[in-house]
Amino acid sequence: MSRVPIATGGPSVLDGYRAVVGDGPVRVLEALARRLRDHRLVMVNSTAIGGGVAEILHRLVRLLLELGVPTTWEVMAGDAPFYAFTKALHNALHGIEAPLTDEARAHYHAMNERAARELELNGDLVLIHDPQPAALVLHRRTPGQRWVWRCHVDLSHARPEAWELLAPLVAHYDAAVFSHPAFVPPMAVPAYLVPPSIDPFSDKNRELPEPDVERLLEPFALPDHVPLVTQVSRFDRLKDPVGVVDAFAILRRRARAHLVLAGGSADDDPEGAEVLAEVRARAAGRDDVSLLALPPDAHLVINALQHRSHVVVQKSLREGFALTVAEALWKRRAVVASAVGGIPLQVLHNRTGLLVRSIEGCADAVVRLLEAPELRRRLGAEGREHVRDNFLHTREARDYLAVFLALGAAAPGPAPAAVAAAG
Amino acid sequence: MSDPGPYTLCGVVHAVRVTPVRAHDLVTLHAGIERAEPASLFFHLVQPALRAPASRERPPDDLSAWVGGVLQRPDVAERLAHAARQGAGVEERRRSLLAALAKAGTRAAVDEEAAFTFHATDSVLAPLAEVATPEELVEQLACADAAVWFWHLLEEPWRADGPSPLAGWLRAHGAPELAVPFEQAAASTRSLDALRREVVTRWRRTRLARRVAFRHEAPDAERVQQAAREAARLAHELVRRHAP
C-alpha cells in the first residue's frame, strides 16, 4: 500500500503549538488553512521510515489535517537498482562524481512511470519531495493541479550531469521549493524558500525527565564523569564522522571528554555500513569514543543523548538543512557546526552556537565551550528561542500553505508532456 | 459623517522566492535595482522589519546592509539607507536608490558566494477578524502576531502607495491620536515591537483621558455613586488581602 496512515488520536497538536509559539502565529496559520479547506494536498516521497523528510512528514501531515486541510501522504516504492541510482544521483547533486548510466536513468524513469500508475495523486496541490519521485510529474500531471517540487538537497555544488538530468523534470512543475537561496540553480520555474522544521512534541524533541534519560542511555554504558561531545547523523561521508574523530583527537590533548557518534541509516541509503567501518577503523584503540548504530526509530535514545551532551557537533561537509542542529538547539544544547548548507540559518555565530570551517576549528570551538559553562548556557537559551521563532512545524506548514496560495493567483502550469524517458 | 464600516484585520505571510538577479559590485547592484520587480524591492526595503520584530531598532534594509557589510562601502551604505526611506511609492524609492548609487563609483567585485541575490515575495493574506470600532481594533491588535502588525503598519500602506488605509479608518472613527503611529510607521526606524507598544500606550492614554473627562462632566449624583462603588470595591479588596 502506498498511502501512509497518519495517527490522529490523542491531544490536539494545534493546542500544543499554541502553548509553545503563542496564539498569534497559530491564528494566522488557521486563517491560511481556511482558504485551502476545499483543496486536497498530496505529499509524495520515497520512504516513510528514516531520514529527515519522513520524520517531518509524519508530523506535518497530522498538523495540516488538524488545521482542516485535507492531506494525504503517498510513498513511492523502489528496488535495489532504483535506490542505487538515486543514491548516486544524491552524491552527484552534492558534487561527488558518481555513475549515472543510461541504463540506470531508464530504470529510474520506468520506476516513476510505474509509481504514477500505483499512487493516488488526484490532489489539487501535489508536493513532490526530492529527486526520487521527481519524474512523476511527466506521467500524472493533469490540468488544474498545482505541482511543486520540494528539494531538500544543497544543489550549489551539483555536478552538471546530475542537474541536467533533473532540470527538464523540474521545468514541468509550477514551482520548486528549496531550504536556502544558495541551493537554487538557474531554473525556469519560480523557486521559493522554505526551510524545514522540527516537531517539539515528538519523541526526539519533547522534554524528558532525568530518570528517563538515564534509563534510555544505560544500555550504552557511557561514562558519567566526563562531558559528552556528540554528533547524531547517518553514517554518511558528507556528515564527516571521520573528521569528527580527528577533531576529537586534537581536543583531547587539552580537555577531558567522551565522544559519541550516533547514527543509523535511512532504508534508502546503501552506504551506511561502509562508512561505519571507516569510522571504527579511525577510532580503533580509543576508549573515549563510542559508536552507536541505532535503528531508524530510536528517537527517544537520540533525545536522551542530546539532552545529556555538553556539546553537540554537526561537522558536515555538505548539508541540506541538518535537522539535528535544530533538535539540539531546541534542547538548549551548545552547538558547534560547519558553516555549510542551511546550518548558518540555525547557528548564528556566537549567538545561538559556534560555526567552524575546519577540523582544527571544530576542536578549538569544542574546547572553548567545555571550558565555559556560562557561554554554553547563553548560547543554548538563545538557540531555543531562535528555533521557536523560525524552525517549528507551524512555520513550515505556514510557508507551504502560502506557496500554494501564491500559485493559485497565477495561471496553471504546462499541460503534461508526451511521455518519454529522458536519457 | 458617513459610517466608514468595519475594517478587516489581516495577518500576512510571505512566500519568498529567489530571482535570477544578482549583484557583485555597485554597478551590478544599480542594474539589479533598475530591473527588480516591485515585490523584490519590497522584500529588501520593507520586509526586514518582520524578520526581527522584537529588536531594539528596525533592522537595516538588505541593500545598505550588503553594501556596508560585504562591499565595505559604509559611505554608500549610509546614502542607500537614507534613500530606502524616501518616497511614497515603490517607483519613487527606486529612483532614490538609483540616484544614491549613481555617483558611487565602483571598486573590486565580490566573488559568487558573497554576491547579493535579489529575492521577492508573494504576499498571502490571512483574514482574522472584522472590527467595527477603534476599541475592538486595539483589543484584537494587542494580542496579535507580528505578521498582523507588519501588514497594517508597513505593508498595507506600501501597497496602497499612499496614506495608511487603517489610519484613514481610525480618523473617520474619531480616533486621530491612534492614527498617528500608522501614518508615521513607514519612515520610522523603530522596530515593530516598539511601534506596537506606542499604539497600545496611546490607546491607554486615550481611555484614561475619556474616563477622567466622563467623571468631570458627569452629574454630581452620578459621581457620588461612582465614588461609593469604588470605595466599596477597595474595602473588599483590603479585607480579602488581609484575611487570615
Side-chain angles (χ1 to χ4, degrees):
Chain A
M1 190 174 90
S2 60
R3 175 79 53 90
V4 178
I6 302 296
T8 53
S12 160
V13 172
L14 262 182
D15 286 348
Y17 272 110
R18 228 180 284 273
V20 171
V21 301
D23 187 57
V26 173
R27 288 186 66 204
V28 170
L29 182 57
E30 288 172 324
L32 283 187
R34 278 194 291 274
R35 295 181 59 183
L36 284 171
R37 280 190 177 160
D38 295 332
H39 293 73
R40 187 164 148 243
L41 172 54
V42 180
M43 301 274 193
V44 184
N45 77 329
S46 65
T47 179
I49 301 170
V53 176
E55 202 170 318
I56 290 176
L57 288 180
H58 273 289
R59 310 298 289 187
L60 196 61
V61 172
R62 171 158 177 185
L63 178 60
L64 290 169
L65 287 170
E66 203 171 309
L67 284 165
V69 180
T71 306
T72 52
W73 176 11
E74 297 281 325
V75 172
M76 171 187 179
D79 56 16
F82 174 79
Y83 289 130
F85 173 77
T86 54
K87 180 62 181 181
L89 180 59
H90 174 89
N91 287 340
L93 290 173
H94 279 109
I96 301 169
E97 193 170 349
L100 301 173
T101 64
D102 288 347
E103 182 185 355
R105 291 180 195 212
H107 184 68
Y108 165 82
H109 278 278
M111 293 297 287
N112 269 264
E113 189 174 359
R114 187 181 94 178
R117 290 192 296 272
E118 293 173 351
L119 303 183
E120 293 179 37
L121 301 174
N122 296 322
D124 308 284
L125 313 168
V126 182
L127 188 60
I128 304 292
H129 291 265
D130 276 338
Q132 292 92 334
L136 283 174
V137 69
L138 296 179
H139 307 288
R140 281 293 302 276
R141 180 72 193 275
T142 57
Q145 287 184 311
R146 299 284 187 269
W147 279 61
V148 175
W149 183 59
R150 201 318 178 203
C151 180
H152 295 272
V153 173
D154 173 4
L155 298 186
S156 60
H157 297 84
R159 294 189 62 84
E161 63 273 18
W163 180 239
E164 281 161 12
L165 186 156
L166 272 181
L169 304 178
V170 178
H172 286 280
Y173 285 80
D174 290 291
V177 172
F178 296 84
S179 300
H180 191 281
F183 300 174
V184 183
M187 52 174 45
V189 300
Y192 288 94
L193 299 176
V194 178
S197 60
I198 65 169
D199 174 12
F201 311 113
S202 67
D203 282 343
K204 203 180 273 190
N205 298 310
R206 62 181 171 85
E207 296 286 343
L208 280 182
E210 200 58 39
D212 286 6
V213 172
E214 296 308 317
R215 175 181 55 78
L216 286 160
L217 296 181
E218 190 185 356
F220 305 105
L222 299 173
D224 55 11
H225 58 283
V226 289
L228 291 189
V229 176
T230 301
Q231 173 161 300
V232 177
S233 278
R234 290 198 312 271
F235 287 105
D236 182 315
R237 291 187 185 92
L238 292 175
K239 310 293 184 182
D240 198 18
V242 169
V244 176
V245 175
D246 291 346
F248 185 71
I250 295 173
L251 78 89
R252 280 290 282 121
R253 297 176 210 149
R254 294 160 55 192
R256 293 173 64 238
H258 189 92
L259 175 65
V260 179
L261 290 170
S265 59
D267 61 2
D268 57 352
D269 176 10
E271 279 185 4
E274 266 181 43
V275 176
L276 180 54
E278 288 169 9
V279 179
R280 278 195 211 288
R282 183 73 108 207
R286 296 197 74 104
D287 62 359
D288 54 1
V289 177
S290 297
L291 303 179
L292 312 182
L294 302 173
D297 59 350
H299 304 308
L300 284 171
V301 170
I302 289 172
N303 189 342
L305 199 47
Q306 289 172 329
H307 182 93
R308 174 85 190 285
S309 300
H310 283 61
V311 178
V312 172
V313 171
Q314 190 64 53
K315 202 203 152 300
S316 304
L317 302 174
R318 293 272 189 275
E319 272 292 353
F321 183 75
L323 281 173
T324 51
V325 172
E327 290 162 9
L329 293 175
W330 183 247
K331 298 176 185 72
R332 303 180 184 85
R333 299 300 92 188
V335 171
V336 173
S338 300
V340 298
I343 291 177
L345 292 177
Q346 306 163 77
V347 178
L348 309 178
H349 187 63
N350 276 330
R351 281 182 47 198
T352 64
L354 300 180
L355 290 174
V356 296
R357 291 158 181 82
S358 64
I359 288 173
E360 295 82 0
C362 180
D364 286 351
V366 173
V367 171
R368 180 181 166 199
L369 289 174
L370 290 175
E371 292 175 344
E374 180 51 34
L375 176 61
R376 293 200 303 271
R377 189 208 62 75
R378 178 176 69 74
L379 294 177
E382 285 204 46
R384 182 178 173 91
E385 293 314 303
H386 186 57
V387 172
R388 187 195 309 275
D389 291 341
N390 297 286
F391 297 112
L392 298 183
H393 281 349
T394 37
R395 195 274 307 144
E396 186 170 2
R398 181 203 74 190
D399 285 354
Y400 283 137
L401 297 183
V403 168
F404 278 118
L405 284 166
L407 291 176
V419 173
Chain B
M1 182 174 10
S2 61
D3 182 1
Y7 205 89
T8 303
L9 270 188
C10 292
V12 66
V13 178
H14 296 131
V16 179
R17 53 186 163 83
V18 177
T19 79
V21 183
R22 293 170 75 76
H24 301 82
D25 55 24
L26 292 176
V27 172
T28 48
L29 183 66
H30 186 282
I33 292 171
E34 255 184 333
R35 57 187 273 224
E37 54 185 291
S40 187
L41 292 180
F42 168 77
F43 178 80
H44 292 299
L45 300 182
V46 183
Q47 210 259 6
L50 185 56
R51 295 179 219 154
S55 59
R56 287 195 200 97
E57 285 186 321
R58 195 176 301 182
D61 66 273
D62 293 336
L63 301 174
S64 62
W66 181 75
V67 168
V70 178
L71 291 190
Q72 295 286 296
R73 289 292 302 271
D75 54 328
V76 179
E78 269 183 9
R79 290 198 290 276
L80 267 182
H82 176 79
R85 290 194 288 272
Q86 305 309 305
V90 60
E91 293 308 322
E92 273 195 55
R93 299 228 191 164
R94 189 196 307 268
R95 284 192 289 273
S96 297
L97 292 166
L98 293 174
L101 285 173
K103 294 174 186 174
T106 185
R107 290 181 194 159
V110 295
D111 62 19
E112 196 56 34
E113 280 195 11
F116 184 88
T117 302
F118 281 79
H119 292 47
T121 62
D122 297 324
S123 295
V124 177
L125 288 186
L128 294 172
E130 279 209 341
V131 293
T133 65
E135 290 86 351
E136 284 182 30
L137 173 79
V138 179
E139 268 176 32
Q140 292 281 340
L141 279 179
C143 53
D145 186 54
V148 179
W149 287 92
F150 179 84
W151 170 254
H152 290 293
L153 280 167
L154 295 175
E155 185 164 352
E156 195 178 26
W158 168 278
R159 298 202 178 281
D161 213 5
S164 160
L166 183 52
W169 183 85
L170 285 165
R171 285 188 180 277
H173 267 282
E177 65 288 341
L178 277 184
V180 169
F182 291 93
E183 287 161 344
Q184 295 178 345
S188 170
T189 57
R190 284 176 295 167
S191 68
L192 272 185
D193 203 47
L195 290 168
R196 178 188 66 80
R197 284 197 303 271
E198 182 184 349
V199 170
V200 173
T201 301
R202 280 175 177 264
W203 176 242
R204 284 190 187 135
R205 281 194 203 132
T206 308
R207 288 182 73 186
L208 179 61
R210 283 188 185 147
R211 270 199 228 125
V212 169
F214 171 76
R215 287 175 182 166
H216 180 74
E217 292 164 359
D220 284 352
E222 192 170 330
R223 288 198 287 148
V224 166
Q225 280 182 359
Q226 176 66 20
R229 280 196 292 271
E230 287 292 328
R233 187 191 63 76
L234 181 59
H236 175 78
E237 186 63 21
L238 284 170
V239 167
R240 186 187 68 79
R241 282 187 194 180
H242 294 286

